[in-house]
mmCIF file of all heavy atoms in Angstrom:
data_model
loop_
_atom_site.group_PDB
_atom_site.id
_atom_site.type_symbol
_atom_site.label_atom_id
_atom_site.label_comp_id
_atom_site.label_asym_id
_atom_site.label_seq_id
_atom_site.Cartn_x
_atom_site.Cartn_y
_atom_site.Cartn_z
ATOM 1 N N GLY A 72 -28.470 40.259 -150.864
ATOM 2 C CA GLY A 72 -29.644 39.419 -150.692
ATOM 3 C C GLY A 72 -29.853 38.570 -151.961
ATOM 4 O O GLY A 72 -29.612 39.035 -153.105
ATOM 5 N N GLU A 73 -30.322 37.373 -151.733
ATOM 6 C CA GLU A 73 -30.663 36.450 -152.830
ATOM 7 C C GLU A 73 -31.954 35.756 -152.475
ATOM 8 O O GLU A 73 -32.288 35.593 -151.292
ATOM 9 C CB GLU A 73 -29.528 35.386 -152.970
ATOM 10 C CG GLU A 73 -28.229 35.918 -153.479
ATOM 11 C CD GLU A 73 -28.226 36.248 -155.009
ATOM 12 O OE1 GLU A 73 -29.035 35.643 -155.741
ATOM 13 O OE2 GLU A 73 -27.447 37.101 -155.440
ATOM 14 N N ASN A 74 -32.684 35.285 -153.522
ATOM 15 C CA ASN A 74 -33.982 34.650 -153.210
ATOM 16 C C ASN A 74 -34.125 33.255 -153.796
ATOM 17 O O ASN A 74 -35.195 32.659 -153.681
ATOM 18 C CB ASN A 74 -35.136 35.555 -153.640
ATOM 19 C CG ASN A 74 -35.395 35.470 -155.149
ATOM 20 O OD1 ASN A 74 -34.483 35.174 -155.889
ATOM 21 N ND2 ASN A 74 -36.597 35.771 -155.544
ATOM 22 N N ARG A 75 -33.076 32.731 -154.479
ATOM 23 C CA ARG A 75 -33.159 31.398 -155.020
ATOM 24 C C ARG A 75 -32.003 30.572 -154.469
ATOM 25 O O ARG A 75 -30.853 30.961 -154.628
ATOM 26 C CB ARG A 75 -33.150 31.424 -156.536
ATOM 27 C CG ARG A 75 -34.323 32.203 -157.094
ATOM 28 C CD ARG A 75 -34.443 32.084 -158.592
ATOM 29 N NE ARG A 75 -33.182 32.508 -159.225
ATOM 30 C CZ ARG A 75 -32.930 32.316 -160.520
ATOM 31 N NH1 ARG A 75 -33.799 31.693 -161.296
ATOM 32 N NH2 ARG A 75 -31.779 32.733 -161.026
ATOM 33 N N HIS A 76 -32.349 29.413 -153.901
ATOM 34 C CA HIS A 76 -31.354 28.689 -153.144
ATOM 35 C C HIS A 76 -30.098 28.321 -153.956
ATOM 36 O O HIS A 76 -28.987 28.606 -153.543
ATOM 37 C CB HIS A 76 -31.979 27.436 -152.536
ATOM 38 C CG HIS A 76 -30.991 26.395 -152.105
ATOM 39 N ND1 HIS A 76 -30.001 26.672 -151.217
ATOM 40 C CD2 HIS A 76 -30.802 25.125 -152.506
ATOM 41 C CE1 HIS A 76 -29.236 25.589 -151.055
ATOM 42 N NE2 HIS A 76 -29.700 24.652 -151.830
ATOM 43 N N GLN A 77 -30.277 27.696 -155.125
ATOM 44 C CA GLN A 77 -29.102 27.213 -155.832
ATOM 45 C C GLN A 77 -28.188 28.357 -156.274
ATOM 46 O O GLN A 77 -26.969 28.269 -156.186
ATOM 47 C CB GLN A 77 -29.486 26.349 -157.018
ATOM 48 C CG GLN A 77 -29.737 24.918 -156.494
ATOM 49 C CD GLN A 77 -30.126 23.943 -157.555
ATOM 50 O OE1 GLN A 77 -30.274 24.285 -158.730
ATOM 51 N NE2 GLN A 77 -30.305 22.692 -157.140
ATOM 52 N N GLU A 78 -28.820 29.426 -156.755
ATOM 53 C CA GLU A 78 -28.050 30.584 -157.191
ATOM 54 C C GLU A 78 -27.264 31.181 -155.986
ATOM 55 O O GLU A 78 -26.083 31.488 -156.121
ATOM 56 C CB GLU A 78 -28.994 31.590 -157.780
ATOM 57 C CG GLU A 78 -28.329 32.870 -158.261
ATOM 58 C CD GLU A 78 -29.359 33.868 -158.824
ATOM 59 O OE1 GLU A 78 -30.520 33.458 -159.121
ATOM 60 O OE2 GLU A 78 -29.022 35.052 -158.988
ATOM 61 N N ALA A 79 -27.964 31.304 -154.889
ATOM 62 C CA ALA A 79 -27.364 31.893 -153.685
ATOM 63 C C ALA A 79 -26.193 31.029 -153.218
ATOM 64 O O ALA A 79 -25.106 31.520 -152.859
ATOM 65 C CB ALA A 79 -28.390 32.060 -152.601
ATOM 66 N N GLN A 80 -26.427 29.706 -153.191
ATOM 67 C CA GLN A 80 -25.417 28.792 -152.684
ATOM 68 C C GLN A 80 -24.131 28.895 -153.537
ATOM 69 O O GLN A 80 -23.035 28.972 -152.999
ATOM 70 C CB GLN A 80 -25.998 27.365 -152.745
ATOM 71 C CG GLN A 80 -25.121 26.300 -152.190
ATOM 72 C CD GLN A 80 -25.739 24.920 -152.328
ATOM 73 O OE1 GLN A 80 -26.289 24.571 -153.407
ATOM 74 N NE2 GLN A 80 -25.762 24.189 -151.274
ATOM 75 N N SER A 81 -24.291 28.924 -154.842
ATOM 76 C CA SER A 81 -23.083 28.933 -155.673
ATOM 77 C C SER A 81 -22.390 30.306 -155.623
ATOM 78 O O SER A 81 -21.171 30.375 -155.564
ATOM 79 C CB SER A 81 -23.358 28.504 -157.101
ATOM 80 O OG SER A 81 -23.994 29.510 -157.810
ATOM 81 N N LYS A 82 -23.149 31.374 -155.581
ATOM 82 C CA LYS A 82 -22.498 32.706 -155.439
ATOM 83 C C LYS A 82 -21.746 32.812 -154.105
ATOM 84 O O LYS A 82 -20.613 33.300 -154.085
ATOM 85 C CB LYS A 82 -23.549 33.838 -155.498
ATOM 86 C CG LYS A 82 -24.084 34.050 -156.913
ATOM 87 C CD LYS A 82 -25.207 35.105 -156.863
ATOM 88 C CE LYS A 82 -25.636 35.516 -158.248
ATOM 89 N NZ LYS A 82 -26.812 36.446 -158.172
ATOM 90 N N ALA A 83 -22.351 32.361 -153.016
ATOM 91 C CA ALA A 83 -21.706 32.435 -151.722
ATOM 92 C C ALA A 83 -20.446 31.615 -151.686
ATOM 93 O O ALA A 83 -19.441 31.968 -151.100
ATOM 94 C CB ALA A 83 -22.654 31.999 -150.623
ATOM 95 N N ALA A 84 -20.452 30.480 -152.413
ATOM 96 C CA ALA A 84 -19.259 29.635 -152.464
ATOM 97 C C ALA A 84 -18.148 30.318 -153.221
ATOM 98 O O ALA A 84 -16.969 30.394 -152.782
ATOM 99 C CB ALA A 84 -19.578 28.266 -153.095
ATOM 100 N N VAL A 85 -18.471 30.935 -154.389
ATOM 101 C CA VAL A 85 -17.433 31.578 -155.184
ATOM 102 C C VAL A 85 -16.884 32.789 -154.450
ATOM 103 O O VAL A 85 -15.673 33.105 -154.566
ATOM 104 C CB VAL A 85 -18.077 32.047 -156.540
ATOM 105 C CG1 VAL A 85 -17.072 32.887 -157.338
ATOM 106 C CG2 VAL A 85 -18.496 30.838 -157.348
ATOM 107 N N LEU A 86 -17.698 33.466 -153.686
ATOM 108 C CA LEU A 86 -17.300 34.721 -153.033
ATOM 109 C C LEU A 86 -16.959 34.512 -151.527
ATOM 110 O O LEU A 86 -16.949 35.490 -150.769
ATOM 111 C CB LEU A 86 -18.382 35.761 -153.207
ATOM 112 C CG LEU A 86 -18.658 36.159 -154.657
ATOM 113 C CD1 LEU A 86 -19.851 37.111 -154.765
ATOM 114 C CD2 LEU A 86 -17.429 36.872 -155.273
ATOM 115 N N ALA A 87 -16.638 33.276 -151.176
ATOM 116 C CA ALA A 87 -16.460 33.000 -149.709
ATOM 117 C C ALA A 87 -15.346 33.820 -149.109
ATOM 118 O O ALA A 87 -15.348 34.029 -147.882
ATOM 119 C CB ALA A 87 -16.162 31.505 -149.559
#
Side-chain angles (χ1 to χ4, degrees):
E73 291 285 336
N74 78 335
R75 298 187 305 169
H76 162 58
Q77 277 181 357
E78 179 181 345
Q80 184 181 46
S81 76
K82 286 176 172 175
V85 173
L86 297 173

